[in-house]
Amino acid sequence: MEQKRYGHFDDQHREYVITDPQTPWPWINYLGNEDFFSLISNTAGGYSFYKDAKFRRITRYRYNNVPMDNGGRYFYIKDGDTVWNPGWKPCKTPLDFYECRHGMSYTRITGCKNGVEASVLFFVPLKKWCEVQKLTLRNTTKESKQLKLFSFEEWCLWNAATDMENFQRNFSTGEVEIEGSTIYHKTEYRERRNHYAFYHVNTEIQGFDTDRETFVGLYNEFADPQAVMEGKPRNSHAHGWSPIASHYIEVTLQPGEAKDFVFLLGYIENEQDKKFAAPQVINKEKAHALIAQLDTTEKVDKAFAELCEYWDALLNIYKVKTGNDKLDRMVNIWNQYQCMVTFNFSRSASFFESGVGRGMGFRDSNQDLVGFVHQIPPRARQRIIDIASTQFPDGGCHHQYQPLTKRGNNDIGGGFNDDPCWLIFGTVAYIKETGDFSILDEMVPFDNQPGSEVTLFEHLKISMDHVINNLGPHMLPLIGRADWNDCLNLNCFSWDPNESFQTTENVSEGTKAESLMIAGLFVVTGKDYVALCRKIGKDAEADCMQQAVDAMVEAVKKHGWDGEWYLRAYDFYGRKIGSNECDEAKIFIESQGWCTMAEIGAEEGLVAKSLDSCKKYLECEHGMVLNNPAFSKYIYEYGEISSYPEGYKENAGIFCHNNPWVIIGECLAGRGNDAWSHYAKILPSYVEEKYQTLHKVEPYVNCQMVAGKDAFKPGEGKNSWLTGTAAWMWYTVSEFILGIKPDYDGIRIDPCLPETATDYVVSRKFREAEYEITIHPNGQQKGVKQIVLDGQKVDGTVIPYAPGKHTVEVTM
Ligand code: BGC
Ligand code: NOJ
């Protein structure tokens, strides 16, 4: 059934256009690419931070609020007795026109009311620590207009966690300075902080406010701030309580006239000995310099053009033309864009991740890497070094690290035994893309301890060793706290509701709990590791690890096969999990995905049976569920997975992240029709068409979880944006479906397509080369018959790398 639609894609501009502000959930976008970041909803809600959403939160945001998305950068326009906002909220005055265009690292929100058009362009310029808000007011009537314009931002007292709780202190620390049209936020600057923020506008102001209570009124709301409703700023100066920044500007517009205002939200750091210009007065030199770079419409337009060029270049590296708009727009625009966002944010800050709980995940960041390594290899390189630096000498890892300090922390526990393998996964992807083997010689510390450095290659080796040194009774990998499934807590027993499943004591000492997911992951990354060793002439190491891989394959065939599918695990007591013998959760997706990707037992038919079982037991209208049947009760020995109600999250939700694993399994098995049908089910552009209302979350990106078939509301999406799904969808479609796979010596071409696929062209920049690859599927799902490179037939399926421009014709 077709559902109500709230927007549509505009592929030409690479935008999603929202035409109704009352979306089923806030539909957000991300601004910023390196240090300064913002989240912005379709009604301009959200917040900004510098590098770390926990420790350097610049503006305040209240999660899970009523109404939902409350607080942001708001412009209030008072036109006679009517007060309205371009993004509809917070006043919610009905608009004559509303449109929000989310683009590549920018958002443009336009509202019209009583003949006035207000359009705001939000973006973070490249390499600058600020958010630009360019507001254009236009009078479309035949009368002149006298408007009162109020801006609004609320400062966060920097540490987003303590900002929400330590009120006995917070209400006395807030400090600001006002200088001309700039409001400075300097709470705690007098002591240890060397940073401040500012909110500026490039015009003279006729008033301001910096104290929230004075501006809003204790019994009013963002929807009706007293100062705005009365059209009178208070010129308040915040001392403690809650500092804000609001400019007041009187605007006269002649008929047809338009005026631009450039607002800047900036962040500055000063050296310790240059903090003050005078006692108690901050040194504003750097702020003045930043403002001077962006104080006119022309300068802002230029910065915006640079941002657009940056994205043009990024999206020019891999482009496909299939003639199927839904596929092309995801591959060419939105999937790649989401990959960049997840790379930047890992799982730290979204409208579902509060920015205080989680930093950069070890496994998450390695996976995110395959999503963007083709676009900005140098940052991928740095990311690999940063991640590896948090590893321990025995190969185990900090499960996450803080972006500001790059130090590992234990906030969500440690001892996840899949973690080390992901380092191999990420590093191999980097080298295949770039040909840069020198990364293997980089000296990388353990746990960030200076003096402990060994080569990155050593880190890879101990990652392999960590698995081999932690095998259980069936010679399968011990699971530790958990594997990829954070919630399958086989060694962490808890009856205490005040305990977090992620950090509750791990009784893994003496445990037998083993994971088939890690077994498959080890075989896949182990084969990669062996190939890498051979490539760099470490044959003895390659031979040795090949044996370990072979042994793992045997262990899986012997102890990991249940008859129709791969088992999921053995529990603490050595009992089977994910077996037909179990009452519930007889089959799990993760081990089907990884063991089919590893092609374990392919000759004996295990892969095909496993894939068929996924279709039979896991697949539903909205994708494949994680396990089936869902757990209907809490199982003390299994932990968090059984704590979720049926159909949600790790308990039989459609965890989009792991659907691509099975899809790749299908591709390797050559089953293109099945691969495609699984893929299309979770492809946002297909969901967008049918299920905007049901799905709720942004229709232009994947979400972590869609409620599964056992849920109260199957098809409802949650946890949008920050999910490994982005990178896995990209990896799957770019390398396995469309079949363009970077390799050490060139590009391997091996598509797996539905039999209905027609000819398509991929243009791919690769190192110093550019390939224009035309594929003629000829109704085949798999199998390259012939490759012609620049008019010459090529042996095998790898087009050898050579700098320059090339054309490639592929016949299947
Ligand atoms: C969630 C997982 C998440 C974990 C770590 C669990 O509650 O279900 O998806 O990875 O917490 O924060
Ligand atoms: C979300 C986490 O970020 C990821 O690391 C984990 O694998 C999945 N949840 C599944 O539990």
Side-chain angles (χ1 to χ4, degrees):
M1 189 188 64
E2 286 275 323
Q3 300 195 342
K4 178 172 159 49
R5 299 182 72 153
Y6 298 84
H8 56 265
F9 288 100
D10 175 348
D11 295 338
Q12 200 202 331
H13 296 101
R14 301 192 185 121
E15 291 172 336
Y16 193 81
V17 189
I18 302 166
T19 47
D20 178 344
Q22 299 187 62
T23 47
W25 184 260
W27 286 359
I28 75 162
N29 194 12
Y30 285 86
L31 313 178
N33 285 286
E34 224 149 328
D35 296 326
F36 190 107
F37 296 105
S38 301
L39 285 71
I40 182 165
S41 72
N42 58 306
T43 57
Y47 59 93
S48 303
F49 63 91
Y50 170 78
K51 278 192 183 169
D52 194 311
K54 179 175 180 180
F55 290 127
R56 287 287 187 284
R57 185 80 63 98
I58 296 169
T59 53
R60 183 173 284 159
Y61 191 71
R62 295 168 188 78
Y63 275 90
N64 200 6
N65 209 341
V66 179
M68 188 58 211
D69 172 29
N70 218 18
R73 53 301 258 170
Y74 293 140
F75 292 105
Y76 296 91
I77 297 164
K78 185 161 159 55
D79 179 5
D81 289 336
T82 309
V83 178
W84 60 282
N85 315 101
W88 184 62
K89 277 183 73 170
C91 292
K92 298 195 280 184
T93 306
L95 298 176
D96 302 331
F97 174 83
Y98 159 90
E99 185 185 84
C100 167
R101 291 180 169 259
H102 285 318
M104 304 290 104
S105 301
Y106 70 87
T107 287
R108 195 191 296 272
I109 298 179
T110 306
C112 296
K113 186 71 188 172
N114 299 341
V116 175
E117 182 193 272
S119 189
V120 200
L121 172 67
F122 300 89
F123 71 101
V124 172
L126 295 173
K127 308 275 176 207
K128 294 206 170 51
W129 294 354
C130 62
E131 177 183 304
V132 172
Q133 305 159 356
K134 184 180 115 179
L135 165 67
T136 307
L137 288 177
R138 183 187 308 278
N139 178 3
T140 65
T141 71
K142 298 209 163 65
E143 320 277 307
S144 90
K145 283 267 184 190
Q146 252 82 43
L147 307 173
K148 294 179 170 184
L149 170 69
F150 295 79
S151 68
F152 178 83
E153 296 265 11
E154 182 176 10
W155 303 114
C156 178
L157 306 189
W158 302 115
N159 180 328
T162 57
D163 184 69
M164 290 189 289
E165 56 179 29
N166 196 5
F167 305 114
Q168 60 81 26
R169 171 179 162 83
N170 297 350
F171 287 168
S172 294
T173 54
E175 289 192 286
V176 297
E177 276 180 42
I178 300 123
E179 182 198 60
S181 302
T182 315
I183 295 163
Y184 291 86
H185 176 228
K186 60 168 185 178
T187 301
E188 292 185 345
Y189 189 76
R190 62 166 62 227
E191 28 119 353
R192 294 155 302 171
R193 292 192 183 277
N194 66 347
H195 42 270
Y196 62 86
F198 66 84
Y199 193 35
H200 167 85
V201 59
N202 69 341
T203 187
E204 242 175 62
I205 57 174
Q206 284 72 51
F208 60 85
D209 271 291
T210 67
D211 177 62
R212 191 183 77 209
E213 199 178 311
T214 312
F215 178 76
V216 177
L218 190 56
Y219 296 98
N220 291 47
E221 303 169 24
F222 289 145
D224 60 354
Q226 271 179 357
V228 177
M229 300 322 277
E230 293 169 18
K232 265 197 266 152
R234 281 19 179 191
N235 297 340
S236 59
H237 197 124
H239 295 278
W241 299 111
S242 297
I244 59 156
S246 171
H247 305 96
Y248 168 71
I249 305 166
E250 290 170 357
V251 187
T252 304
L253 291 177
Q254 300 310 323
E257 196 189 2
K259 276 187 186 158
D260 289 336
F261 303 87
V262 179
F263 291 84
L264 278 191
L265 176 72
Y267 171 87
I268 301 289
E269 282 182 359
N270 275 338
E271 295 78 34
Q272 199 59 34
D273 56 342
K274 298 210 184 92
K275 278 177 68 171
F276 298 97
Q280 307 259 358
V281 180
I282 46 184
N283 175 351
K284 304 185 183 67
E285 275 171 30
K286 289 190 188 170
H288 293 158
L290 178 53
I291 290 168
Q293 291 169 13
L294 291 157
D295 57 356
T296 65
T297 300
E298 293 70 37
K299 292 181 194 174
V300 164
D301 290 349
K302 186 160 168 278
F304 183 61
E306 281 163 16
L307 178 69
C308 296
E309 282 161 24
Y310 170 81
W311 272 104
D312 282 347
L314 290 180
L315 296 177
N316 238 332
I317 296 166
Y318 191 125
K319 276 196 309 201
V320 70
K321 224 193 265 162
T322 65
N324 172 351
D325 289 348
K326 293 195 191 76
L327 176 62
D328 290 1
R329 72 167 60 109
M330 292 319 297
V331 173
N332 295 335
I333 308 171
W334 292 97
N335 193 178
Q336 296 201 57
Y337 182 56
Q338 188 182 4
C339 285
M340 186 64 85
V341 171
T342 55
F343 154 61
N344 279 324
F345 290 81
S346 193
R347 307 298 170 266
S348 68
S350 73
F351 268 32
F352 295 86
E353 301 277 8
S354 65
V356 300
R358 299 168 71 186
M360 316 293 284
F362 192 100
R363 81 157 81 87
D364 294 329
S365 296
N366 273 302
Q367 291 172 80
D368 293 345
L369 211 130
V370 301
F372 76 90
V373 62
H374 62 295
Q375 295 181 324
I376 34 171
R379 291 186 70 196
R381 193 181 207 275
Q382 186 58 50
R383 178 58 61 84
I384 290 170
I385 307 287
D386 290 347
I387 300 171
S389 306
T390 64
Q391 195 172 25
F392 299 119
D394 74 346
C397 312
H398 274 296
H399 196 47
Q400 63 169 23
Y401 69 96
Q402 216 51 46
L404 192 68
T405 59
K406 298 190 173 176
R407 302 275 151 153
N409 68 44
N410 282 322
D411 291 0
I412 54 169
F416 295 81
N417 280 353
D418 63 313
D419 271 341
C421 294
W422 295 112
L423 186 62
I424 298 169
F425 180 73
T427 307
V428 165
Y430 168 79
I431 300 176
K432 285 189 173 169
E433 179 67 38
T434 58
D436 171 19
F437 288 91
S438 77
I439 191 174
L440 295 171
D441 303 324
E442 284 293 329
M443 297 301 284
V444 182
F446 292 115
D447 195 13
N448 294 103
Q449 294 307 312
S452 66
E453 292 81 0
V454 298
T455 63
L456 180 67
F457 180 79
E458 271 304 303
H459 281 265
L460 301 190
K461 176 169 166 40
I462 61 164
S463 297
M464 291 292 292
D465 290 343
H466 190 265
V467 177
I468 300 168
N469 295 338
N470 290 280
L471 297 177
H474 302 93
M475 298 310 279
L476 294 166
L478 291 172
I479 198 166
R481 166 166 299 279
D483 58 25
W484 171 87
N485 191 330
D486 290 332
C487 301
L488 190 60
N489 312 126
L490 303 182
N491 300 312
C492 318
F493 305 148
S494 178
W495 274 120
D496 177 357
N498 299 323
E499 226 164 35
S500 140
F501 284 105
Q502 302 301 313
T503 54
T504 183
E505 201 192 341
N506 188 339
V507 293
S508 50
E509 212 57 43
T511 177
K512 297 184 191 145
E514 295 165 296
S515 161
L516 267 304
M517 181 266 157
I518 305 182
L521 174 66
F522 177 80
V523 173
V524 171
T525 51
K527 286 187 203 167
D528 280 338
Y529 177 84
V530 168
L532 178 66
C533 289
R534 298 229 183 273
K535 192 81 208 139
I536 57 175
K538 291 190 190 292
D539 282 313
E541 174 69 3
D543 292 342
C544 166
M545 286 302 173
Q546 183 63 51
Q547 279 177 20
V549 169
D550 293 343
M552 190 68 76
V553 168
E554 286 315 307
V556 173
K557 286 199 222 165
K558 192 147 171 228
H559 301 292
W561 182 249
D562 196 57
E564 299 291 321
W565 55 79
Y566 302 97
L567 288 176
R568 175 62 175 89
Y570 285 95
D571 75 6
F572 185 83
Y573 304 99
R575 299 175 304 207
K576 290 177 185 170
I577 296 184
S579 159
N580 208 11
E581 295 165 18
C582 302
D583 293 340
E584 295 182 334
K586 291 168 180 284
I587 170 170
F588 282 78
I589 198 168
E590 302 96 325
S591 44
Q592 313 318 316
W594 280 100
C595 294
T596 59
M597 277 197 273
E599 303 184 281
I600 297 175
E603 320 79 50
E604 296 93 325
L606 307 195
V607 166
K609 272 192 193 155
S610 159
L611 294 171
D612 288 342
S613 295
C614 290
K615 278 173 52 176
K616 193 156 163 206
Y617 302 106
L618 301 179
E619 194 180 14
C620 68
E621 193 183 349
H622 305 281
M624 284 175 279
V625 298
L626 192 147
N627 54 292
N628 185 254
F631 291 107
S632 64
K633 52 184 176 301
Y634 177 54
I635 303 176
Y636 171 65
E637 295 89 351
Y638 291 4
E640 183 169 356
I641 190 167
S642 58
S643 73
Y644 285 108
E646 295 86 328
Y648 294 100
K649 291 281 286 178
E650 280 86 345
N651 184 17
I654 297 157
F655 224 91
C656 299
H657 187 147
N658 52 38
N659 277 233
W661 300 344
V662 174
I663 302 172
I664 293 175
E666 293 279 9
C667 287
L668 293 173
R671 304 166 27 144
N673 290 340
D674 292 327
W676 176 260
S677 93
H678 287 311
Y679 175 72
K681 279 190 173 166
I682 59 166
L683 195 64
S685 50
Y686 281 81
V687 179
E688 194 261 354
E689 188 184 53
K690 284 191 273 181
Y691 295 119
Q692 291 202 355
T693 317
L694 170 64
H695 195 63
K696 270 181 101 130
V697 288
E698 295 88 336
Y700 34 92
V701 290
N702 271 110
C703 55
Q704 180 209 54
M705 195 259 327
V706 175
K709 54 185 174 178
D710 311 282
F712 175 69
K713 222 184 199 185
E716 194 178 55
K718 285 189 191 131
N719 301 8
S720 52
W721 279 102
L722 303 185
T723 160
T725 313
W728 277 100
M729 287 294 273
W730 171 250
Y731 188 52
T732 302
V733 71
S734 63
E735 299 198 11
F736 295 91
I737 295 179
L738 298 173
I740 311 296
K741 200 168 173 32
D743 211 329
Y744 296 120
D745 301 317
I747 295 186
R748 184 176 298 281
I749 314 241
D750 191 13
C752 185
L753 305 160
E755 62 198 5
T756 50
T758 49
D759 292 4
Y760 62 95
V761 183
V762 173
S763 18
R764 177 67 154 94
K765 295 208 166 95
F766 180 63
R767 302 179 200 168
E768 303 296 311
E770 247 183 275
Y771 296 92
E772 175 100 356
I773 307 165
T774 307
I775 315 251
H776 308 280
N778 295 323
Q780 301 300 314
Q781 297 182 51
K782 178 96 168 176
V784 166
K785 204 161 81 189
Q786 175 180 293
I787 299 180
V788 178
L789 165 68
D790 300 327
Q792 301 271 312
K793 266 175 84 175
V794 171
D795 287 336
T797 53
V798 178
I799 39 178
Y801 168 69
K805 285 198 175 191
H806 306 281
T807 42
V808 184
E809 293 283 327
V810 180
T811 317
M812 295 178 55

